[in-house]
Amino acid sequence: MRVVRKRFGQHFLAPEWIEKVIRAIDPKSDEVFIEIGPGRGALTLPLAARASRVTAYEIDRDLAAELREAAIPNLTVVEGDFLERATESAMLAAQSQPVRVAGNLPYNVASPIMFRLLELFDAGSALKDATLMVQREVADRLVAAPGGKEYGVLSVLIQHAARVEMVLKLPPGAFRPPPKVNSALVALRFHAPDPPVRNRAVFDAIVQSVFTRRRKTLANALLAYGGRPDLKPSEALSSAELDGNRRPETLSIVEFARLADAYTLR
Ligand code: SAM
């Protein structure tokens, strides 16, 4: 058997878990899928058997070649890094109907991949949802509510544009070789940003800025946000009707949106 390439986060799904994951994804015969990291095809083959078309992005040249050799008529294998290859134009050109995404993600790049999916959704690609295997700790952050220690940048930025659900929990033994951590399958159902914000970049920057100072009060955490030197945190907080003594992690997404809008020039 060929070597496992650790740098690509290769932990292959064990056979007894494949059907459970596929059932959670629930592919339909008229649906088009993008798969991230098909590996040896554990999910790819059942997806291609049930869906209308699958485009799979695989960074490992040997695995991509093996999958291509299988010559599955409705499967396109793209060799390369999903983060580089899945551009807006390539996706838009290739897809004429809503696209579903699936993937047992390499854990070291799971967050950048999810943010990339949000960007693609924002740019108008017809992404519908993404069912992704991630580290359990990342899944906990994705579904976290305000107030807890898991609630942070990932929770706010992803939940702002997707309804997130944890659909399956998996132990290390569900993979070969087993990772050191537990895993979970999450479903991200994309939607227009809710609530809408005047400027998404300002929203993202404020969320990132205050969570790097999550132990401070909101008023103090905002001092480090450099986006509007002309606006004092106290003024922004009062126009957003927020108490500056609160901790950043207690703010709901609606409150972050109000804060971002207070910092956005009309
Ligand atoms: N889907 C297979 C399974 O469930 O058995 C493999 C999952 S394994 C956790 C992750 C896969 O993603 C590996 O095949 C790895 O080579 C591939 N990969 C890692 N980084 C990638 C990237 N940036 N773009 C595309 N594929 C990547």
Side-chain angles (χ1 to χ4, degrees):
M1 191 183 272
R2 62 178 292 281
V3 290
V4 168
R5 298 202 165 115
K6 270 197 175 168
R7 70 180 185 284
F8 293 148
Q10 293 179 348
H11 296 281
F12 301 100
L13 195 61
E16 62 272 25
W17 284 87
I18 294 174
E19 188 49 37
K20 289 189 186 115
V21 172
I22 292 291
R23 225 180 297 138
I25 299 171
D26 193 22
K28 300 283 193 312
S29 59
D30 58 346
E31 288 176 338
V32 170
F33 275 83
I34 282 182
E35 189 190 358
I36 306 167
R40 296 176 182 140
L43 301 175
T44 325
L45 305 186
L47 278 178
R50 292 174 210 202
S52 113
R53 196 150 46 91
V54 179
T55 303
Y57 290 81
E58 175 56 62
I59 200 169
D60 183 319
R61 187 193 299 173
D62 296 336
L63 290 178
E66 276 168 34
L67 262 187
R68 267 202 203 108
E69 274 163 28
I72 296 160
N74 62 339
L75 170 67
T76 306
V77 180
V78 180
E79 185 200 310
D81 184 341
F82 176 80
L83 291 166
E84 289 168 10
R85 300 297 305 273
T87 60
E88 285 105 53
S89 53
M91 301 258 303
L92 286 172
Q95 317 298 346
S96 53
Q97 69 181 95
V99 179
R100 303 192 61 200
V101 179
N104 172 10
L105 296 189
Y107 291 166
N108 53 340
V109 284
S111 295
I113 286 176
M114 287 188 280
F115 286 127
R116 184 89 194 97
L117 290 172
L118 280 194
E119 275 170 29
L120 291 167
F121 177 77
D122 279 349
S125 333
L127 291 187
K128 187 177 167 212
D129 66 354
T131 313
L132 305 170
M133 188 80 68
V134 295
Q135 227 172 294
R136 176 67 197 277
E137 185 201 307
V138 171
D140 288 339
R141 280 156 51 202
L142 283 167
V143 299
K149 67 175 171 21
E150 283 96 10
Y151 186 69
V153 175
L154 198 61
S155 331
V156 176
L157 297 190
I158 301 286
Q159 288 175 28
H160 187 221
R163 196 156 48 81
V164 189
E165 194 190 343
M166 206 187 298
V167 288
L168 200 62
K169 295 175 185 170
L170 298 90
F175 305 90
R176 309 273 187 274
K180 291 201 175 70
V181 293
N182 287 312
S183 301
L185 192 68
V186 290
L188 273 51
R189 299 186 175 94
F190 301 109
H191 53 63
D194 181 22
V197 285
R198 289 190 195 129
N199 184 322
R200 187 73 174 277
V202 172
F203 176 81
D204 289 4
I206 286 183
V207 171
Q208 281 172 4
S209 175
V210 299
F211 272 117
T212 55
R213 294 159 194 90
R214 62 187 295 147
R215 307 243 162 273
K216 303 202 169 191
T217 63
L218 196 51
N220 278 334
L222 281 170
L223 287 172
Y225 172 66
R228 279 284 303 278
D230 59 312
L231 187 66
K232 290 198 188 97
S234 56
E235 292 165 351
L237 285 162
S238 110
S239 92
E241 296 177 26
L242 289 170
D243 177 355
N245 290 316
R246 288 174 60 186
R247 308 273 159 194
E249 68 199 27
T250 67
L251 262 64
S252 67
I253 294 175
V254 170
E255 290 174 320
F256 273 117
R258 283 213 309 268
L259 186 59
D261 281 353
Y263 273 97
T264 306
L265 291 167
R266 280 170 195 267

